[in-house]
Amino acid sequence: MTQLSTALKGGITPEMEYVAAREKLTAEFVRQGVAAGTIVIPRNIRRQNMSPTGIGKGLKTKVSASVGLYGSKGNIETELAKIRTAVEAGTDSIMDLSVSGDIDAMRKESLTATMTPLGTLPYYQAVAQTAQKYGSSLKMEVEQLFEVIEREAADGVDFMALHCGTTMSAVERAKQEGRLDPLVSYGGSHLIGWMLHNRRENPLYEHYDRVLDIARKYDVTVSLADGMRPGCLADSLDGAQVQEMVVMGELVRRAREAGVQVMVKGPGHVPLSQLKATVTLQQSLCQGAPYFVFGPVVTDIAAGYDHISAAIGGAISAWAGAGFLCYVTPAEHIGLPDVDQVHEGVVAARIAAHAADLAKGLPGAAKWDLALSRARKALDWQKQIDLAIDPGRAEKIKKTRSDDSVAGCAMCGKYCAMEIVAKYLGTARVSC
Ligand code: SF4
């Protein structure tokens, strides 16, 4: 029985108990969320040694880091180092989005390299395999695609991004609307190329029941990926994106009826003014299914700093109701991230997630900030460093940019406001 089926019958799984303990909530709260579909706990029944993580309403906002083999320079060791870096930086999940090389080996290594939930996008492997075998991914047979989905599920993948809602009618609408960047989703663009070339409907939509059968067999959480993801602000919230979201809403309902946990993947590139509307629309059309947004970046001009642009969008999206933030690294739109950029991307996404949890008034979220504020007032530098979201970065700056001759820091030196306030207002520095 899947976790969703168990929850619907009033049962509480060990995963629900584990998530409840981590979130300091009751197991019944988590069960109700899973039963309603507003919380998912991605955990394949074949997955060994992992820490179940809850995503969705009433839980802390989660972040995900993506790694994978790309092009001729990709190698498994480098990507495993990125996984370790992302986990150390506090990611809640990893996605292996390999598109080339030994994808099976990469997935298996990834599953043992982290205790976090692991997600994949099987269409990538289907594309790579078909291109290798026939010279073109356009020759992919539907059976090959489902063979890959089953193989990845049998290996223990906890959640899968699948473009099941990218229908021919949404593609036609995108063509009519004259998008600036028609398609930017890697998997979506290959899938749509296949659909147009072969003049066939999306097999993941046409055979959705088969997708659900595999997902139910291994209790894989389906992440409905958005092939119509806008690739620039100018295309945000257009008809093609909304049309796909309407279809995703139907697919969410069918997944739940089949006992399969489901979340919905989202943009991408969204202007600040449309963030709330985008999340509200998704939550309404997809009946509160957790929203897994990619950033989103709020301006197209931040190349080199897209992790900051994404953190702005991620914070507001999560405040509006998105439960899961896919990180964006400083290398986004330019190249593959190195380990340092992976670290920066995870930290930026975590700041966004925490800022949203504070704004939502999530129980306990403010405690962390309060503790750091007290340490700051007390000029307790070690405690400030320990409590910082990235202690290593804080410590490095303190060591290299400090002025040991003053109690404060090198910023105001002997005119440290904390010192002055303590001296003249009698609010002696307090120890936390
Ligand atoms: S010197 Fe200025 S910046 Fe540094 S701790 Fe004191 S008040 Fe803060």
Side-chain angles (χ1 to χ4, degrees):
M1 201 155 42
T2 64
Q3 291 206 64
L4 176 52
S5 308
T6 304
L8 284 167
K9 289 192 169 149
I12 290 173
T13 61
E15 287 83 1
M16 292 173 207
E17 282 175 352
Y18 188 89
V19 167
R22 277 179 79 179
E23 304 268 348
K24 298 191 171 51
L25 296 166
T26 65
E28 177 56 19
F29 176 91
V30 176
R31 183 201 69 77
Q32 285 179 14
V34 173
T38 56
I39 291 175
V40 295
I41 306 176
R43 205 263 159 89
N44 188 313
I45 55 167
R46 291 222 174 150
R47 182 79 193 277
Q48 306 290 327
N49 299 325
M50 68 93 69
S51 305
T53 298
I55 299 159
K57 196 172 176 185
L59 307 183
K60 288 186 196 110
T61 306
K62 305 302 186 304
V63 307
S64 184
S66 306
V67 299
L69 300 172
Y70 297 89
S72 55
K73 288 187 181 163
N75 77 72
I76 292 177
E77 268 319 306
T78 304
E79 297 311 304
L80 291 178
K82 289 181 192 173
I83 291 179
R84 288 190 289 274
T85 298
V87 170
E88 278 165 21
T91 192
D92 299 292
S93 147
I94 294 285
M95 284 200 81
D96 169 16
L97 299 179
S98 295
V99 301
S100 63
D102 193 343
I103 298 176
D104 285 332
M106 176 67 204
R107 181 173 59 256
K108 284 174 183 158
E109 294 276 0
S110 301
L111 281 162
T112 55
T114 176
M115 302 273 281
T116 68
L118 187 95
T120 57
L121 203 157
Y123 202 81
Y124 287 179
Q125 185 164 20
V127 163
Q129 273 186 202
T130 313
Q132 200 173 26
K133 193 168 175 187
Y134 301 120
S136 167
S137 61
L138 298 173
K139 294 183 179 165
M140 185 193 73
E141 286 157 15
V142 173
E143 268 322 298
Q144 290 176 311
L145 173 58
F146 279 92
E147 184 273 321
V148 171
I149 295 172
E150 175 99 33
R151 194 189 329 154
E152 296 196 3
D155 276 353
V157 166
D158 301 297
F159 64 100
M160 287 183 180
L162 296 155
H163 298 84
C164 305
T166 308
T167 57
M168 195 61 101
S169 62
V171 175
E172 291 301 329
R173 185 175 288 278
K175 281 197 321 197
Q176 287 163 15
E177 287 181 333
R179 282 183 158 196
L180 183 65
D181 281 344
L183 294 166
V184 291
S185 153
Y186 180 89
S189 60
H190 276 272
L191 171 65
I192 291 163
W194 183 93
M195 288 161 63
L196 292 172
H197 178 81
N198 294 289
R199 295 189 185 155
R200 288 181 63 180
E201 183 52 281
N202 174 0
L204 295 169
Y205 177 73
E206 215 169 40
H207 304 285
Y208 186 56
D209 287 336
R210 201 169 161 190
V211 171
L212 295 178
D213 286 344
I214 297 171
R216 187 174 47 243
K217 182 172 165 189
Y218 299 95
D219 206 356
V220 171
T221 297
V222 168
S223 174
L224 294 170
D226 50 339
M228 290 295 144
R229 189 168 76 221
C232 62
L233 298 195
D235 296 334
S236 173
L237 218 50
D238 68 353
Q241 185 190 348
V242 174
Q243 185 159 338
E244 185 180 51
M245 208 188 277
V246 171
V247 175
M248 285 174 166
E250 293 165 16
L251 300 179
V252 165
R253 180 182 47 72
R254 285 173 60 189
R256 288 175 180 168
E257 285 170 2
V260 172
Q261 298 188 93
V262 61
M263 55 186 164
V264 172
K265 195 129 196 318
H269 292 241
V270 186
L272 273 180
S273 56
Q274 290 181 4
L275 284 168
K276 192 163 184 242
T278 302
V279 177
T280 304
L281 195 63
Q282 181 275 341
Q283 286 288 284
S284 176
L285 291 172
C286 301
Q287 306 115 59
Y291 204 18
F292 182 17
V293 290
F294 184 30
V297 298
V298 293
T299 170
D300 295 332
I301 54 90
Y305 297 91
D306 270 327
H307 59 312
I308 295 173
S309 179
I312 295 168
I316 296 170
S317 299
W319 185 15
F324 201 15
L325 306 180
C326 180
Y327 85 163
V328 169
T329 75
E332 188 73 25
H333 299 113
I334 308 171
L336 266 182
D338 60 22
V339 285
D340 292 338
Q341 290 157 346
V342 165
H343 175 91
E344 281 190 66
V346 172
V347 174
R350 285 186 61 215
I351 293 169
H354 180 65
D357 290 346
L358 286 170
K360 287 191 285 192
L362 216 69
K367 264 188 175 176
W368 185 3
D369 295 65
L370 205 54
L372 201 141
S373 298
R374 287 190 174 126
R376 191 164 281 155
K377 185 180 177 188
L379 291 174
D380 183 337
W381 292 104
Q382 191 53 53
K383 203 156 206 165
Q384 287 183 66
I385 288 166
D386 292 344
L387 286 167
I389 197 160
D390 184 354
R393 169 75 66 94
E395 186 168 35
K396 190 173 170 194
I397 293 172
K398 178 66 186 149
K399 274 190 181 152
T400 56
R401 309 292 301 163
S402 69
D403 178 354
D404 292 338
S405 67
V406 292
C409 69
M411 180 71 87
C412 330
K414 62 182 180 178
Y415 301 111
C416 173
M418 298 294 178
E419 285 275 89
I420 292 168
V421 165
K423 187 172 171 188
Y424 290 103
L425 296 185
T427 50
R429 296 202 306 264
V430 291
S431 178
C432 308

